[in-house]
């Protein structure tokens, strides 16, 4: 239940209310806070964030996130909400639904008052429920001024498709307002037809989950011609979302929904791996710097202590010696080439397959030099229509490259060569 | 999901035989999609509402967050890299070590070219391993107008063995001795240039 209470929709119009709520952390917002905070132990998080949204603070949520990787999914709610998310405006604006009037304060407000999303000046806000479609002014949140910075976490987008899980309906039914559940009230709350009939469609959906097929007759009877329009719009919106998801993935393949989702899954896993890898690198780097700093100060301080320099009290060094083996793997595909990069500790294995057009060894080896990778072994050549190479390399001491960077650079180099080279080599061999 | 109802109705009304195959395929397709959506949902930690549209939204948000996180971390890494002084030292050490190893094992530098067939040659080069020597070799090959059809490079105790089957791109037939001479020339120049680089204390 707590999930639904926390995950509300942010109404930019009630920013003043938000700030009010923030300023006085009264009983209502913190109630919800505490429940989550207890599970998270990030008590001072929300209070801090709006004061200092610098990157330094961002490290903590990452650590939290990384440490809590396997825990309850809800435990990530606050750390993520307290980050400053630059929303990719270009995608969302095309949907015309972006309530784009937030400011940093609003962002902070939205995130800090995680439980107080519902900041419309009505009793509903007390319940910390997400704003429902049948509230008096949902349309306002869409037609807000364009051009202003985007919302941090855009749950408002969900308003466009006002699906209410069954839980919501029960909650709403308990309201003293007379806000009615959409399924029962066909002419709900004078809202535009967008939500009205869309609700029917969605309720149909949720009914599908719970009571498979029983609602069929009832819904058929209730369909009006409006339904088709809203249903179509809903589909269009859904398709747009799929397309947006597709654009975020680096190498999208087919254009159908299943593969889009599949690519997204792979990409999320890859991003998780990259973040973890970067974290390890940063830690190693920091630890190395600290060690060298310590050594320098010690050399300066006491030359006689040569023997004791290495054995330190159990303060910092224990943190530094992370014994985690770094390993990552990712693939990148482009139209004509495919790159596979695997890193284990300090060994990088790169597999490159490209359509026979240019001999790319030169460029690849230049890139490897640039990336400070020491070639141990190379094998490959022309196989039928393709050039295929396998590079075994070692990372030079002190360099911190990560898989994603290698793969991206490599595929860029190869593709660039592709574009640059005229197709004259097709006659050879 | 209204679509599901519509399609079922259609299928029931129309001829069952032809449509049923499609129905099965369609059901499987939808099942596949919903399975994948479930997987996506399981990956994303922030879940608002539990339906198809919002899971896509949440996924998009999550991906953006992750991208931002990785960007922040990589910038941090770059900063740290800029301020650290460790990287200068190891390179000099490597080079000295390499020379030492090779002489110890008795591996000699060598260039050997043999003609396979017309314009095809098998080139074998043993050279002292240094940073960027592979690049220089490939550049040399390019310069000579060779296209490498099969390449193999191994490194062992400070030496690098480069063996490749090449053929001349430009059609002019070169003699084996010529090639050997040219390559040895190039290797010598590589060596001297890299030695001077070491003396000057520059990196490649």
């Amino acid at each position: 239940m707590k999930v639904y209470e926390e995950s509300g929709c942010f109404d930019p119009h009630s920013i003043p209310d938000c700030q009010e709520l923030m300023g006085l952390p009264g009983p209502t917002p913190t109630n919800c806070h505490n429940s989550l905070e207890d599970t998270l132990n990030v008590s001072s998080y929300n209070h801090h964030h709006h004061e200092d949204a610098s990157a330094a603070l961002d490290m903590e949520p990452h650590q939290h996130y990384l440490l809590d990787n396997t825990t309850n999914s809800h435990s990530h709610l606050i750390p993520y909400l307290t980050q400053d998310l630059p929303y990719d405006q270009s995608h969302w604006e095309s949907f015309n639904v972006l309530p784009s009037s937030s400011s940093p304060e609003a962002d902070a407000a939205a995130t800090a008052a995680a439980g107080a999303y519902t900041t419309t000046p009505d009793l509903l806000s007390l319940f910390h429920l997400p704003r429902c479609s049948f509230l008096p002014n949902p349309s306002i949140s869409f037609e807000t001024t364009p051009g202003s910075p985007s919302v941090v976490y855009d749950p408002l987008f969900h308003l466009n498709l006002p699906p209410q899980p069954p839980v919501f309906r029960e909650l709403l039914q308990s309201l003293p307002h007379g806000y009615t559940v959409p399924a029962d009230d066909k002419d709900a709350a004078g809202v535009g037809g967008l939500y009205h009939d869309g609700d029917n469609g969605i309720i149909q959906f949720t009914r599908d989950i719970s009571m498979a097929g029983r609602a069929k007759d009832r819904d058929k009877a209730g369909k009006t011609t409006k339904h088709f329009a809203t249903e179509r719009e809903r589909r269009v919106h859904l398709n747009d979302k799929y397309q947006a998801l597709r654009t975020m993935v680096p190498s999208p393949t087919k254009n159908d929904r299943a593969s889009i989702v599949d690519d997204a899954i792979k990409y999320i896993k890859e991003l998780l791996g990259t973040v973890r890898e970067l974290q390890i690198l940063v830690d190693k780097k920091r630890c190395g710097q600290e060690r060298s700093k310590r050594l320098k100060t010690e050399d300066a301080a006491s030359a006689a202590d040569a023997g004791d320099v290495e054995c330190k009290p159990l303060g910092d060094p224990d943190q530094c010696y992370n014994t985690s083996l770094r390993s990552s793997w990712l693939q990148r595909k482009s139209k004509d080439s495919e790159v596979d990069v695997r890193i284990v500790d300090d060994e990088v294995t790169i597999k490159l397959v490209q359509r026979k057009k240019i001999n790319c060894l030169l460029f690849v080896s230049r890139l490897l030099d640039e990336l400070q990778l020491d070639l141990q072994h190379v094998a490959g050549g022309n196989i039928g229509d393709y050039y295929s190479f396998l590079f075994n390399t070692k990372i030079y001491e002190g360099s911190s490259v990560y898989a994603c960077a290698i793969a991206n650079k490599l595929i860029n180099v190869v593709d660039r060569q592709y574009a640059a080279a005229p197709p004259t080599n097709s006659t050879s061999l | 999901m209204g679509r599901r109802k519509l399609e079922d109705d259609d299928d029931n009304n129309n001829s069952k035989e032809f449509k049923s195959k499609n129905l099965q395929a369609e059901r499987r397709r939808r099942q596949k999609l919903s399975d994948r959506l479930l997987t996506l949902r399981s990956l994303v930690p922030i879940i608002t509402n539990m339906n198809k549209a919002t899971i896509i939204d949440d996924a998009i948000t999550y991906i953006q967050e992750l991208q931002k996180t990785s960007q922040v971390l990589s910038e941090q890494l770059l900063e740290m890299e800029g301020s650290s002084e460790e990287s200068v030292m190891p390179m000099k050490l490597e080079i000295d070590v390499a020379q030492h190893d090779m002489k110890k094992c008795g591996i000699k530098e060598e260039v050997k070219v043999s003609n396979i067939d017309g314009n095809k040659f098998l080139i074998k080069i043993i050279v002292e391993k240094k940073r960027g020597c592979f690049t220089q070799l490939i550049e040399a090959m390019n310069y000579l107008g060779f296209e490498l059809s099969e390449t193999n490079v191994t490194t062992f105790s400070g030496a690098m063995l480069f063996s490749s089957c090449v053929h001349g791109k430009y059609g002019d037939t070169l003699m084996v001795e010529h090639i050997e001479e040219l390559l040895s020339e190039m290797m010598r120049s590589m060596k001297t240039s890299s030695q001077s680089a070491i003396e000057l204390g520059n990196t490649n």
Side-chain angles (χ1 to χ4, degrees):
Chain A
M1 292 297 259
K2 293 281 185 228
V3 177
Y4 297 121
E5 286 182 0
E6 300 309 319
S7 59
C9 303
F10 173 53
D11 180 17
H13 275 271
S14 39
I15 290 172
D17 293 348
C18 260
Q19 291 175 337
E20 253 178 83
L21 285 167
M22 251 177 47
L24 331 151
T28 36
T30 50
N31 276 345
C32 294
H33 271 285
N34 292 338
S35 56
L36 267 182
E37 281 166 358
D38 286 345
T39 57
L40 282 180
N41 300 323
V42 281
S43 48
S44 59
Y45 230 81
N46 304 318
H47 305 303
H48 280 292
H49 186 72
H50 66 276
E51 289 151 14
D52 174 21
S54 62
L57 209 55
D58 281 348
M59 283 312 294
E60 291 178 53
H62 301 235
Q63 287 171 352
H64 275 286
Y65 155 66
L66 287 165
L67 291 173
D68 292 344
N69 233 346
T70 55
T71 57
N72 179 11
S73 63
H74 305 316
S75 63
H76 300 292
L77 204 73
I78 283 191
Y80 273 98
L81 295 176
T82 53
Q83 284 173 15
D84 223 12
L85 299 174
Y87 223 68
D88 189 354
Q89 189 131 16
S90 58
H91 298 308
W92 296 120
E93 285 202 320
S94 66
F95 306 147
N96 296 324
V97 297
L98 185 62
S100 45
S101 66
S102 78
S103 55
E105 308 155 326
D107 290 354
T111 56
Y117 275 160
T118 60
T119 46
T120 49
D122 53 40
L123 288 175
L124 208 53
S125 61
L126 287 180
F127 292 84
H128 308 290
L129 292 169
R131 288 191 54 240
C132 324
S133 57
F134 32 83
L135 288 178
N137 53 356
S139 54
I140 293 183
S141 33
F142 291 151
E143 270 95 27
T144 49
T145 60
S148 33
S150 49
V151 157
V152 169
Y153 178 83
D154 187 25
L156 190 55
F157 194 76
H158 303 186
L159 277 187
N160 186 31
L161 310 165
Q164 304 292 334
V167 183
F168 277 139
R169 292 214 308 278
E170 292 157 34
L171 284 173
L172 293 166
Q173 274 165 349
S174 64
L175 291 180
H177 272 289
Y179 281 115
T180 49
V181 173
D184 299 335
D185 179 14
K186 298 278 193 283
D187 307 328
V191 179
L194 180 65
Y195 307 122
H196 160 52
D197 294 307
D199 287 343
N200 280 341
I202 304 302
I203 297 303
Q204 220 173 327
F205 167 77
T206 54
R207 285 218 181 107
D208 280 352
I209 297 175
S210 46
M211 310 172 273
R214 233 186 293 163
K216 201 206 273 192
D217 301 331
R218 184 175 176 181
D219 290 324
K220 246 168 106 171
K223 279 183 200 165
T224 61
T225 48
K226 257 193 201 172
H227 177 86
F228 294 119
T230 56
E231 174 67 23
R232 194 178 349 133
E233 233 184 289
R234 188 179 71 87
R235 278 204 304 271
V236 165
H237 280 302
L238 195 57
N239 280 331
D240 289 342
K241 283 184 191 170
Y242 272 97
Q243 286 307 312
L245 188 57
R246 185 164 190 256
T247 56
M248 310 199 59
V249 174
S251 45
T253 53
K254 299 206 278 184
N255 204 5
D256 71 303
R257 288 188 179 183
S259 12
I260 290 175
V261 174
D262 202 33
D263 289 340
I265 291 171
K266 291 197 183 108
Y267 187 48
I268 288 181
K269 287 186 182 156
E270 180 194 302
L271 279 174
L272 288 173
T274 307
V275 164
R276 186 182 36 169
E277 190 185 0
L278 285 172
Q279 187 66 48
I280 292 177
L281 282 175
V282 165
D283 288 341
K284 269 201 195 138
K285 210 53 192 244
R286 187 180 298 152
C287 147
Q289 278 179 346
E290 282 172 15
R291 212 181 311 147
S292 61
K293 252 188 268 171
R294 212 182 308 126
L295 288 176
K296 272 193 225 152
T297 55
E298 275 164 15
D299 288 345
S302 55
D305 270 346
D308 294 343
V309 164
E310 289 310 319
C311 14
K312 292 259 100 209
L314 306 169
D316 287 335
D318 284 0
Q319 288 174 351
C320 288
Y321 297 128
N322 54 347
T323 52
S324 57
L325 202 66
R326 155 202 177 173
S327 81
S328 52
W329 168 56
L330 49 79
Q331 288 183 320
R332 284 275 184 271
K333 292 196 177 104
S334 81
K335 195 174 68 123
D336 301 301
S337 34
E338 185 183 317
V339 166
D340 181 305
V341 176
R342 291 164 207 237
I343 306 188
V344 173
D345 212 14
D346 64 340
E347 294 184 2
V348 184
T349 305
I350 302 175
K351 186 178 91 160
L352 170 67
V353 177
Q354 51 141 144
R355 207 99 23 95
K356 166 184 164 186
K357 211 175 169 194
I358 46 156
N359 194 343
C360 57
L361 260 184
L362 179 59
F363 306 106
V364 171
S365 76
R366 279 198 189 132
L367 178 66
L368 293 178
D369 286 341
E370 216 180 280
L371 292 170
Q372 306 198 21
L373 292 173
D374 177 28
L375 268 177
Q376 309 270 300
H377 184 85
V378 178
N382 186 17
I383 302 179
D385 240 0
Y386 288 85
Y387 274 115
S388 159
F389 292 101
L390 183 70
F391 301 89
N392 284 321
T393 65
K394 251 196 154 94
I395 303 182
Y396 280 118
E397 183 74 41
S399 150
S400 47
V401 292
Y402 52 100
C404 186
I406 297 177
N408 284 337
K409 284 194 183 145
L410 203 56
I411 212 157
N412 283 338
V413 162
V414 172
D415 283 344
R416 219 183 310 143
Q417 292 315 314
Y418 247 68
T424 53
N425 286 346
S426 47
T427 56
S428 52
L429 263 190
Chain B
M1 291 320 276
R3 234 177 296 150
R4 183 185 278 179
K5 300 296 170 200
L6 286 167
E7 283 174 0
D8 280 356
D9 290 341
D10 284 340
D11 294 325
N12 289 334
N13 293 337
N14 299 343
S15 68
K16 277 208 175 162
E17 274 186 20
F18 181 68
K19 290 285 181 170
S20 65
K21 277 192 217 158
N22 206 11
L23 179 61
Q24 296 288 355
E26 184 61 23
R27 280 207 189 121
R28 262 182 279 132
R29 183 190 78 92
R30 279 191 303 250
Q31 186 62 35
K32 181 167 132 193
L33 180 61
S34 101
D35 286 343
R36 291 211 178 142
L37 278 178
L38 270 173
T39 320
L40 188 57
R41 189 179 302 176
S42 72
L43 279 179
V44 175
I46 320 168
I47 313 174
T48 52
N49 300 337
M50 291 294 237
N51 62 20
K52 289 209 300 188
T54 59
I55 184 61
I56 304 278
D57 286 337
D58 292 338
I60 293 177
T61 320
Y62 187 51
I63 288 180
Q64 285 176 332
E65 287 173 20
L66 284 178
Q67 282 175 334
K68 190 185 176 247
T69 310
S70 71
Q71 199 180 353
V72 162
L73 280 176
S74 70
E75 279 165 16
Q76 230 179 30
L77 204 59
L78 273 173
E79 266 177 69
M80 289 172 127
E81 193 133 321
S83 58
S84 84
E85 306 149 359
E86 312 168 21
S87 46
V88 183
M89 299 233 319
M91 212 199 59
K92 289 197 177 166
L93 292 171
E94 294 160 21
I95 297 172
D96 296 336
V97 164
Q99 285 174 336
H100 191 74
D101 273 350
M102 216 170 126
K103 294 209 178 86
K104 233 171 45 172
C105 301
I107 304 177
K108 291 202 179 50
E109 303 210 340
E110 184 189 339
V111 176
K112 189 160 182 308
V113 181
S114 31
N115 191 333
I116 304 175
D117 176 31
N119 225 2
K120 271 202 211 165
F121 301 94
L122 177 63
I123 300 183
K124 173 180 140 185
I125 300 178
I126 299 181
V127 79
E128 181 184 326
K129 181 175 145 209
K130 278 191 274 266
R131 263 204 194 187
C133 60
F134 181 64
T135 314
Q136 286 173 322
L137 272 177
I138 305 288
E139 279 172 353
M141 294 295 143
N142 241 12
Y143 175 70
L144 290 173
F146 284 144
E147 187 178 294
L148 306 165
S149 44
E150 210 69 50
T151 324
N152 236 294
V153 174
T154 342
T155 55
F156 177 75
S157 48
M160 185 171 93
L161 166 63
F162 170 91
S163 112
S164 173
C165 179
V166 307
H167 78 279
K169 245 187 324 193
Y170 298 134
D172 46 342
T173 44
L174 296 156
M175 304 302 293
V176 168
E177 297 81 14
H178 263 166
I179 302 174
E180 279 185 356
E181 228 179 86
L182 282 165
L183 284 173
S184 315
E185 185 74 42
M186 284 181 179
M187 277 173 48
R188 259 172 278 144
S189 68
M190 268 166 40
K191 215 170 172 185
T192 51
S193 73
S194 52
Q195 268 180 354
S196 59
I198 295 170
E199 284 161 17
L200 289 173
N202 297 333
T203 62
N204 272 357

